[in-house]
Amino acid sequence: MPPTLKSRRPAAKNLWTAAAVVALGAVASAIHLASVLSRADVAQGLLSEGLWRRIVAALGATSSRIGSDQVANVPFGPLLILCGAASLLTWLGGAAVIAHRRGVPFQEALVQWGRAGWLWWIAPFGWDILGLVIELLGFASLSALWRAALPFFYAILKAGWLTTFFVLVSAANRAPAAHNESRRIPGGVWIASAIYFICFGAMNWLLWESLLLPHGDSSMYEEHVWNFLHGKGFRSYLDSGRLFLGEHIQVIHLGVIPLYVFWPSHLLLELCQSAWLAAGAIPTFWIARRHSGSTRAAACLALAYLLYFPMQCLDIAVTFKTFRPNAFEIPFFLFGLDALERGRIKTLLVWLFLALLCQEDAAPVIAPLGVWIAFRQAHFSGIVDRAARRRMFWLGTVLAGFGVLYVAFVVKVALPWFRGGADVHFARYFEEFGGESNTIVSTILNHPGAFLAKLFASPSWVFALGMLVPLGFLPLLSPGRLAVAAPLFGVLCLSSMTNTPLHHFHAPLVPIVIWAAAAGLPQAVVVQRQFARWWKRDPAREAAEARKRIPPEFFVANGKTLPVADALKAQLSSAQTRPPRNPLAIRCAVIAATWCVFSSLISGIFFSMGPLGIGFWDPYSSRYWKDHYVPGERAVRFPAVFALIPRESRVASTDYVHPRFTHHERSYDYSDYRPEVPDDTDYIVIDTRHPYSDIKTPDQVKEYRDHPELWELLPDETEGYFIVLKRRR
């Protein structure tokens, strides 16, 4: 039966309303982009200064400098046309997909997609108003936080927009997949892990081939393995020849020895690290499926883990440092947390022991994890057997005490013993609190105000956003688990070197945040119900219902309540901890996991070192792929230098070529950190074109300039790319 005139009028009105929302979203986005692109200091969180200049020039604007700020008068018209065209195309195209997938009329799909989707496009206008208010009030710290948080704000908006499209496309009445208790990993998770391994393994390999892989904090770990196998001790001569245990309690990289004897190369360590980080998707999937009751939601969270840029920075950091043993903590902890949830206590202890072999920073996570086990698992997880509760309590108590004692032992006994009594080197990271371990503790205790000011400063909030936004804030839905990461997070916030997810210091935090995100999936239905209740709230009706209720003080106990049997208690408690089975709960978990994937994907556009990051393709960015992953003239000419150095010689070399000499008799570091070349050095190799090179000509080499009678300048066969000096005998 064709629709009547009365039925067509509301439909047309709804369509015009949706079109108005779409138009308003396009205008608000254009205004926002004009505001962002008009100032380089605001846009720098999104793109490089060079790309910013090209964009504003393409829009017909010219940049100028006002004081210390770069500004541009960006015209509004071109941006409005671009935003309008993008809005119209995505509105029409998205509605067509929704209509096809849902089997609804195209007009109805236009209304649903326009009304729901373009509310996310209007939100940037409120962000601009907030920034204007902050600047008018003169809050410098809040203004810095507002600028730094812009990429995360974009990630939330775009993830919300894409998740809205996913919700509208997927059929609401589709039956969720049945929960499968097996530990079988779907093929999609294996494929995603393989893609991650191939991508980051290739990037690490090409950094090595391009002579852009640093020795310090990267290839020096391969030198440990080489020296250990050749009777030189567990050391790198970067640390003046002392045992490396004076720096960190890290020995996990000795585990590559069975393979290293067949392929003694630093690339083996790099590939092992990338493969093991990719393997972290497996326990992530197991944990998420256990909590969500959905294979699809678990697969989405595993994909979000692989897209999670704080994890990726453990593979290649923002400074292009690559191999770090503490990166192995992430899968170790995830496998251990999976074992904990399955009640495999011995397996848990094995995984935690392996995590401790990666670095001592695992202990500040083990201690609060023990507290969580002692109280959450033993008292609130529904364990009825008193003996089992007692065992869990003592397990948690022992782990908590061990974690605290282990940190104290490493910092005050083990590391100073290997350093000849000197304080731990990482105490220097906290110079604002004294730069010495005893002084740091006393300063925090005596000046709690300074501690709290640093803890709640803008960089700490940005650090927290960097850890939580890529997971769609899901970890906040499991605050108890997230609190396990709180002590170490607080310590990292106290130093400007460690309060970022772009290096490697945050490695122990990553598995805890992923674990909390997995546990937050079943709580998505609670959030949905609370939002629905708030959206449909009727205060008058609620007040009327409240008046009908009998007040609690009028209830009188009659003593006839029957005790609940222990078996029934067990059933009730297990029902509370069992993954949700009802369709609404599973659907909400799938939507939350999808939101998480989109959040990781969009966040990675601004921060990822891989091909999904904008900096990877930006020719003006420090992360541009051609500058790092394509061997240049330096790499082409280096073999001629390497052929001049006999394997039995002792070589002092600058960074980036230093890793190529670690298999020689000795490999000394030639840098500002080592102002004097050891007396037994046979050759000095200077890379004049590496990223931080200050020496360009032989007369700038102090050994050759001050003692030409001791050093001979070998003929240059590299056209000035390298300088090679040989000691005269």
Side-chain angles (χ1 to χ4, degrees):
M1 181 178 179
T4 63
L5 180 61
K6 291 184 178 180
S7 64
R8 288 199 299 265
R9 286 178 178 173
K13 182 179 179 181
N14 292 336
L15 181 60
W16 280 110
T17 302
V21 174
V22 172
L24 183 60
V27 173
S29 297
I31 294 173
H32 171 72
L33 288 177
S35 174
V36 169
L37 294 175
S38 64
R39 293 175 51 183
D41 62 332
V42 176
Q44 67 180 358
L46 308 174
L47 37 85
S48 65
E49 184 175 341
L51 184 58
W52 172 78
R53 291 177 183 274
R54 288 194 61 177
I55 291 175
V56 298
L59 293 172
T62 56
S63 60
S64 60
R65 184 174 294 276
I66 299 180
S68 59
D69 298 329
Q70 282 275 54
V71 298
N73 187 16
V74 180
F76 178 70
L79 288 175
L80 181 60
I81 294 174
L82 291 174
C83 291
S87 294
L88 183 61
L89 291 176
T90 53
W91 183 35
L92 296 177
V97 175
I98 294 170
H100 174 72
R101 292 293 303 274
R102 297 285 299 275
V104 299
F106 180 67
Q107 183 173 337
E108 181 180 344
L110 282 173
V111 172
Q112 293 178 359
W113 179 220
R115 281 182 169 181
W118 267 255
L119 292 177
W120 297 100
W121 288 57
I122 299 175
F125 187 70
W127 181 263
D128 293 335
I129 294 177
L130 176 62
L132 180 62
V133 171
I134 291 174
E135 290 195 1
L136 290 177
L137 294 177
F139 296 142
S141 59
L142 284 180
S143 181
L145 176 60
W146 176 80
R147 291 193 298 270
L150 183 59
F152 303 112
F153 177 68
Y154 279 5
I156 294 171
L157 290 186
K158 299 308 177 185
W161 183 60
L162 293 173
T163 305
T164 302
F165 178 71
F166 168 80
V167 172
L168 294 176
V169 166
S170 60
N173 57 354
R174 179 184 298 174
H179 179 65
N180 186 0
E181 297 292 344
S182 71
R183 294 171 65 79
R184 180 178 176 271
I185 305 297
V189 176
W190 287 115
I191 293 173
S193 300
I195 292 174
Y196 173 88
F197 167 69
I198 293 172
C199 177
F200 277 85
M203 291 166 62
N204 280 304
W205 193 302
L206 291 172
L207 282 173
W208 170 267
E209 295 293 338
S210 301
L211 285 181
L212 290 174
L213 199 151
H215 179 262
D217 288 355
S218 289
S219 61
M220 71 177 188
Y221 295 102
E222 188 266 339
E223 188 182 3
H224 298 162
V225 181
W226 174 269
N227 288 339
F228 180 80
L229 287 177
H230 289 78
K232 300 179 183 179
F234 187 67
R235 58 168 52 88
S236 164
Y237 291 99
L238 180 69
D239 304 313
S240 302
R242 67 166 175 261
L243 292 177
F244 181 71
L245 296 177
E247 301 295 312
H248 293 291
I249 305 300
Q250 289 179 319
V251 296
I252 195 64
H253 45 301
L254 294 179
V256 304
I257 288 178
L259 298 175
Y260 188 82
V261 294
F262 298 101
W263 185 27
S265 171
H266 174 74
L267 292 174
L268 173 64
L269 277 70
E270 297 285 2
L271 295 179
C272 288
Q273 175 180 260
S274 297
W276 189 235
L277 286 174
I282 297 173
T284 299
F285 173 83
W286 287 337
I287 296 171
R289 184 171 59 182
R290 183 178 302 112
H291 284 278
S292 67
S294 168
T295 299
R296 183 179 301 174
C300 286
L301 190 65
L303 178 58
Y305 162 82
L306 295 171
L307 294 172
Y308 189 50
F309 80 84
M311 185 278 292
Q312 295 179 357
C313 286
L314 270 299
D315 213 335
I316 299 179
V318 69
T319 54
F320 289 93
K321 294 182 178 180
T322 54
F323 184 84
R324 296 290 309 213
N326 67 337
F328 289 76
E329 294 174 5
I330 297 175
F332 284 148
F333 268 119
L334 287 172
F335 278 109
L337 294 170
D338 173 68
L340 171 63
E341 293 187 347
R342 292 188 294 124
R344 305 294 180 87
I345 303 305
K346 293 181 180 179
T347 306
L348 165 68
L349 296 178
V350 171
W351 289 118
L352 294 183
F353 172 74
L354 292 174
L356 281 175
L357 298 182
C358 299
Q359 191 169 312
E360 65 278 355
D361 61 354
V365 170
I366 292 176
L369 177 62
V371 175
W372 185 89
I373 293 173
F375 291 95
R376 176 63 176 87
Q377 283 290 92
H379 296 286
F380 303 106
S381 64
I383 300 176
V384 178
D385 183 13
R386 292 185 177 181
R389 292 175 58 181
R390 191 180 303 112
R391 286 194 298 270
M392 295 300 293
F393 177 79
W394 283 112
L395 170 67
T397 303
V398 170
L399 285 178
F402 170 79
V404 174
L405 294 176
Y406 186 80
V407 171
F409 170 76
V410 169
V411 173
K412 303 307 296 182
V413 179
L415 294 182
W417 189 84
F418 285 104
R419 297 174 65 86
D423 197 17
V424 293
H425 75 281
F426 46 80
R428 299 193 300 269
Y429 299 163
F430 306 91
E431 293 182 354
E432 296 184 33
F433 295 89
E436 195 270 333
S437 57
N438 291 331
T439 306
I440 292 171
V441 175
S442 61
T443 301
I444 292 175
L445 294 177
N446 295 327
H447 303 281
F451 165 72
L452 294 176
K454 187 70 174 179
L455 184 62
F456 292 100
S458 296
S460 301
W461 290 103
V462 176
F463 185 16
L465 291 174
M467 299 297 296
L468 296 175
V469 169
L471 295 175
F473 291 113
L474 279 182
L476 295 177
L477 298 182
S478 181
R481 291 172 175 83
L482 186 60
V484 173
L488 181 58
F489 175 81
V491 172
L492 297 180
C493 287
L494 302 182
S495 170
S496 58
M497 181 179 294
T498 61
N499 62 350
T500 173
L502 299 177
H503 295 292
H504 64 274
F505 303 100
H506 63 286
L509 302 180
V510 172
I512 304 302
V513 175
I514 296 292
W515 180 43
L521 289 175
Q523 301 303 317
V525 67
V526 179
V527 176
Q528 187 271 341
R529 287 170 176 168
Q530 292 291 340
F531 178 79
R533 187 178 294 113
W534 170 82
W535 186 262
K536 299 177 181 179
R537 183 181 180 186
D538 186 350
R541 186 180 64 182
E542 291 179 1
E545 292 179 353
R547 286 193 296 269
K548 296 178 182 179
R549 298 191 188 104
I550 301 176
E553 59 269 17
F554 290 167
F555 283 98
V556 179
N558 55 16
K560 296 181 180 180
T561 303
L562 296 178
V564 180
D566 289 343
L568 181 58
K569 286 183 178 180
Q571 294 176 6
L572 293 175
S573 62
S574 63
Q576 295 174 358
T577 58
R578 184 184 303 156
R581 297 290 192 267
N582 66 81
L584 177 60
I586 294 180
R587 177 171 170 77
C588 288
V590 172
I591 293 173
T594 305
W595 153 273
C596 189
V597 170
F598 288 138
S599 297
S600 287
L601 177 64
I602 304 301
S603 299
I605 291 176
F606 304 110
F607 297 103
S608 175
M609 303 295 292
L612 294 179
I614 189 174
F616 188 86
W617 306 103
D618 180 3
Y620 303 98
S621 172
S622 60
R623 293 174 278 171
Y624 186 46
W625 68 276
K626 285 188 178 180
D627 294 338
H628 298 281
Y629 308 113
V630 177
E633 194 66 22
R634 288 174 58 248
V636 172
R637 295 185 178 275
F638 178 73
V641 175
F642 190 77
L644 297 174
I645 315 297
R647 179 61 66 91
E648 63 275 7
S649 58
R650 303 187 177 196
V651 187
S653 57
T654 54
D655 205 359
Y656 297 98
V657 298
H658 189 176
R660 303 304 177 95
F661 297 106
T662 54
H663 293 185
H664 285 61
E665 178 64 24
R666 291 282 178 88
S667 181
Y668 297 125
D669 176 41
Y670 189 96
S671 67
D672 294 336
Y673 297 103
R674 306 289 181 267
E676 300 296 332
V677 172
D679 294 336
D680 61 352
T681 303
D682 300 314
Y683 290 86
I684 298 177
V685 180
I686 308 295
D687 181 359
T688 64
R689 307 291 179 90
H690 75 79
Y692 306 105
S693 175
D694 294 327
I695 298 176
K696 305 299 182 183
T697 58
D699 60 295
Q700 293 179 294
V701 183
K702 60 181 182 299
E703 287 77 13
Y704 180 69
R705 181 186 63 237
D706 300 339
H707 302 284
E709 72 283 0
L710 297 180
W711 294 98
E712 172 189 359
L713 177 65
L714 298 186
D716 182 12
E717 300 180 2
T718 65
E719 297 185 4
Y721 277 85
F722 297 93
I723 300 171
V724 182
L725 300 175
K726 179 181 179 181
R727 184 181 292 274
R728 299 179 186 273
R729 299 298 183 186

